[in-house]
Amino acid sequence: MKKFLFFVLVFSISSSAGSISKDISRARLVQIIQLKNIVNLDGKLVEPLYSEYQPVSGFIQRDPNEGESASEKTDVWISYDENHLYFSAKLYDSNPDSIDLSLMRRDNHTKTDWFYVYIDPYFDRRTGYYFAVNAGGSLSDGVLFNDSWNDSSWDGIWEAKTEVNGDGWSVEMKIPFSQLRFKEADDMKWGINFARGIKRKNETSYLIMVPKNESGFVSHFATLEGLRGIKPKQRFEVLPYVVQKAQYLIHDEQDPFYKSKQYQTSAGADIKLGIGSNLTLDGTINPDFGQVEVDPAVVNLSAFETYYDEKRPFFIEGNTIFYFGRGGSNNNWNFNFGTPSLFYSRRIGRSPQGSVSDYNFIDYPKETNILCAAKLTGKLNDSWSIGALSAVTQRMFATLRVDAQNIKEEVEPLTHYGVFRAKKEFNEGRDAFGMMFTSVNRDLRGRNLRESLVEQAYTLGIDGWKTLDEDENYVITATAIGSIVDGTKEAVEIKQRMPYRYFQNPENIYIPLDTNRNNLAGWFTRIMLNKQKGNFYINSAVGAVSPGFEYNDMGFQWMADRINGHVVLGYRWYEPDKIFRRKNINFAYFRTYNFTGDLLNNTIFTVSNFQFVNYYDLFIQGFYSFEGLNNRATRGGPFVKEPSGYNITFGGNTDTRETMVLNFNTSYTHDKLNSEFIDIGFDLEWKPDSKVSIQAGPSYSVSLAKDQWVGNFDDDFAKHTFNRRYVFAELDHKTISGNLRVNCTFTPQLSLQVFIQPIFSVGKYANFKELAAPRTSKYNVYSAEKGQIKYDKNSDEYFVDPDGDGSAQGFGFSNPNFNYKSVRGNIVLRYEVLPGSVFYFVWTHDKTNFDHPGEFKFSRDFNNLINSESNNIFLVKFSYWFDA
């Protein structure tokens, strides 16, 4: 009993330590200086400010020796005038010749000597901004949200200069108030923190250091006082752009549309209007679809689409306010059941979705024009945050050349997209409640579009979190969403047949396919418990998503019809020993059912991370899945037994401070059917000098899938599988790919980036077979000797007679073998002429080849790819920032 009481006492003291340290950090006051004289932004700390006022100092290490004083002194001055914030720092160094002066592209954050500024202008203890400058003058910035998360996609307009001298280096930063969002008052208080990184020592120190076993970051900030009389001018920014493109594409010489599309000029603008000091209204006219970096090539053999990141500035800025269902907790474990992404901004302006009639030649638009879009983001007060977006996309037409005549057919309707997000936080962010609403409204006119797209699509969700104890150890988060879509019977049938739903499954008794319905509704809910801090760790969740839940018109959907639960237990060591600097081990268990009660997944999982004393990192993870049922393997047919299997994955990296850094990753998966998957890859980064970095890495994967889906074929004789043949095969799949990146940063404003991605992916199908019975992993293999399968070399097709005697209904299919070869790359020259005004020159190159399907021979395939025709696009873009 005494031991138990002692344990409870120690646990209580350690738990409350976090609250005590947070109170102490908040109690620290930092004074800002109102400038009397102009600061000359040159990195030289020679103005009277630096001798007349006492700097802020006393940084504490978080790494490598947590809690000790920083090994090198840092002095910081904070000042302001009517329009700008200024942060100046003297970063003393006992060995100035060892200061790392590496240059890099903006936001390309690598190991070097850095100075960071973190501010919480709303003083909500949850959100903020960060600004970082390295000794060479390179910049990085972003936003802080959910107390401890950050997003580097935001780019503010600000300036900084550095100087290296005999006793260290210094920096001066100038940030316009117009770039920040805050609640205006006569006497404001903000949250404030600073950090310094010293590369050679792998040292990071903070003014307010949050211990590793604590939770949160922004909530610990010191209090900045003295901001008085700030009356920022009305914020009105315009960022117009012009793009000139020259395209040299693979085409038919007789194509009448090619020349008219070869040289294109486009223009548009992003507009930003401040509504007070805490809300921003963003607008866009014809946003640019030109991408600085191409989307990666992907060989996707699944039934699901590929997810790509957003790259358009209008949609990137302020996107964290639209995060839904993932706030409050510092960890979100998913395990086959993630929180829905209700807002996937690449839906707006996506490639048109309509089909067309037969044609000789076609001019089909690559993307949908955005007529106009507006977005309102910010905070109404200390606790209410809102985000609203409205966009209208143009009705798009394809032009078909049919018998010497041009015919226009509509391929995308006039569409409105809407998103509204609101969140109310209580008790300094310990508790919160929010909601989110999305809508898609289409003006459908053509029959082909009415039968393929729903007319209306809506989702409405609520989310929130509750801190369960005064010491903020445990947080519970919850989410609930409803959805409904409405359209013609044909369009709603397509929704019912989506691969995350498959209502056409003949075993589906919960909600079977209904070809007469003109709407579909569903819901989602999830509740999760997370331990926020300490060495011992726990995370647990339970959730369900109904079969009819549908949000793919505005979001990115990959699941429905699931009931899921998991539990994670772990322990984290933050104190170094003779071998490791830190380490953690986690064990998890999760199960997934559908609404009929079928067990889909039953898995145990473990992951461990280690950092050695030499700063090498290693992770090891693995899982074992017990037998379950696969409701997707037949692409809408009956269930297939999922065999038990296991996976082992490990990887790591060498010391990231070194001139050469190695990252590696290896994975092996095996199941009871003797399917095997092996993936090996490494990445080597070489930094020959402070202005150049070269990163290259090949990867190799080989898999032998015993049950790769080929196709479904109607056959009245297939009584055992609901009058359809579900054909599978063994797939021998090999892929060699690589990435090469070369970054040359001549100055913080001028950089050259080269990216090349080759990929060779070859798949050979053999031993074709059909599912023998539902809910099994048994197959009937087609025998060529028995006349069950024949291959016609001339047509490159297989013909199947399942019984071999002609009594069953035969069917055929094309040879599914493939040999996909591709190389993609681009060269980007970026020059920031003035803060916020940027010139780009971009060359994009790609070529593909499909010769010799199913036959892997690298030298021959490489030559085939090199000798293939290519697409080349040259693009010049200039954008200019006006701050009216």
Side-chain angles (χ1 to χ4, degrees), residues 245 264 289 349-352 364-369 396:
K245 186 182 295 185
Q264 294 179 313
F289 277 87
R350 68 189 301 174
S351 299
Y364 196 99
K366 292 183 178 180
E367 63 263 338
T368 301
N369 295 334
M396 302 298 294

Side-chain angles (χ1 to χ4, degrees), residues 326 332-340 479 481 523-528 539 541-546 549 551 558-566 590-593 595 600-601 632:
R326 293 185 286 272
N332 282 273
W333 297 73
N334 291 322
F335 293 117
N336 208 30
F337 192 91
T339 302
T479 309
I481 311 168
W523 52 268
F524 169 96
T525 186
R526 189 178 194 230
I527 187 169
M528 181 178 68
N539 180 281
V542 62
V545 52
S546 75
F549 186 57
Y551 61 95
W558 59 275
M559 68 168 184
D561 191 14
R562 292 190 183 189
I563 302 170
N564 173 276
H566 78 253
F590 61 96
R591 294 170 75 96
T592 304
Y593 295 86
F595 271 58
L600 305 181
N601 197 289
R632 297 174 177 176

Side-chain angles (χ1 to χ4, degrees), residues 33 36 43 131 138 178 181-182 186 230 249 315 375 388 454 471 507-508 522 591 619 691 799 808 842 867:
I33 305 161
K36 300 175 182 178
F131 302 88
S138 297
S178 65
R181 308 294 169 259
F182 53 90
D186 293 334
I230 298 299
L249 309 177
F315 293 103
K375 179 172 61 176
V454 294
D471 299 323
E507 294 187 276
N508 184 5
R591 294 170 75 96
F619 78 89
K691 296 182 178 181
F799 180 78
V842 182
N867 295 326

Side-chain angles (χ1 to χ4, degrees), residues 737-751:
S737 62
N739 289 294
L740 173 65
R741 296 180 185 272
V742 180
N743 292 308
C744 300
T745 309
F746 308 106
T747 71
Q749 292 77 35
L750 179 63
S751 64

Side-chain angles (χ1 to χ4, degrees), residues 133-349:
V133 186
N134 81 336
S138 297
L139 307 184
S140 180
D141 56 12
V143 296
L144 307 170
F145 65 105
N146 198 36
D147 197 1
S148 58
W149 298 357
N150 68 80
D151 183 351
S152 64
S153 60
W154 177 78
D155 284 330
I157 310 298
W158 57 287
E159 301 175 74
K161 296 293 182 181
T162 61
E163 183 192 56
V164 178
N165 47 49
D167 55 359
W169 63 286
S170 56
V171 58
E172 290 180 318
M173 304 163 63
K174 180 180 179 182
I175 303 170
F177 281 111
S178 65
Q179 297 300 295
L180 306 175
R181 308 294 169 259
F182 53 90
K183 185 181 178 182
E184 188 177 332
D186 293 334
D187 189 357
M188 292 185 290
K189 291 184 179 181
W190 291 7
I192 189 76
N193 201 1
F194 303 102
R196 178 182 179 180
I198 304 175
K199 175 182 175 180
R200 71 180 186 277
K201 299 181 179 182
N202 230 336
E203 179 180 321
T204 304
S205 58
Y206 293 82
L207 178 68
I208 303 298
M209 189 276 295
V210 181
K212 298 186 184 75
N213 64 355
E214 266 291 316
S215 176
F217 182 58
V218 181
S219 57
H220 293 262
F221 284 6
T223 302
L224 180 67
E225 290 188 329
L227 268 172
R228 300 183 180 91
I230 298 299
K231 301 292 182 183
K233 64 181 181 179
Q234 177 66 45
R235 290 177 288 125
F236 181 67
E237 303 174 23
V238 182
L239 188 68
Y241 79 88
V242 60
V243 174
Q244 179 61 55
K245 186 182 295 185
Q247 304 181 100
Y248 303 92
L249 309 177
I250 302 171
H251 66 284
D252 190 318
E253 293 294 336
Q254 304 301 316
D255 188 344
F257 304 114
Y258 177 72
K259 288 187 177 180
S260 64
K261 296 291 183 181
Q262 192 169 5
Y263 302 99
Q264 294 179 313
T265 303
S266 60
D270 291 342
I271 303 168
K272 191 183 300 292
L273 175 66
I275 302 176
S277 60
N278 55 346
L279 292 174
T280 300
L281 178 64
D282 291 278
T284 186
I285 302 171
N286 191 28
D288 179 31
F289 277 87
Q291 296 180 358
V292 171
E293 185 171 304
V294 296
D295 288 325
V298 177
V299 178
N300 187 349
L301 298 180
S302 75
F304 297 87
E305 65 177 314
T306 301
Y307 182 93
Y308 292 108
D309 292 329
E310 179 60 82
K311 299 179 182 181
R312 295 166 292 178
F314 170 79
F315 293 103
I316 289 174
E317 274 199 47
N319 65 346
T320 58
I321 209 163
F322 294 102
Y323 275 48
F324 177 78
R326 293 185 286 272
S329 173
N330 60 12
N331 273 301
N332 282 273
W333 297 73
N334 291 322
F335 293 117
N336 208 30
F337 192 91
T339 302
S341 299
L342 296 183
F343 177 36
Y344 178 45
S345 58
R346 285 187 69 147
R347 295 287 185 232
I348 304 174

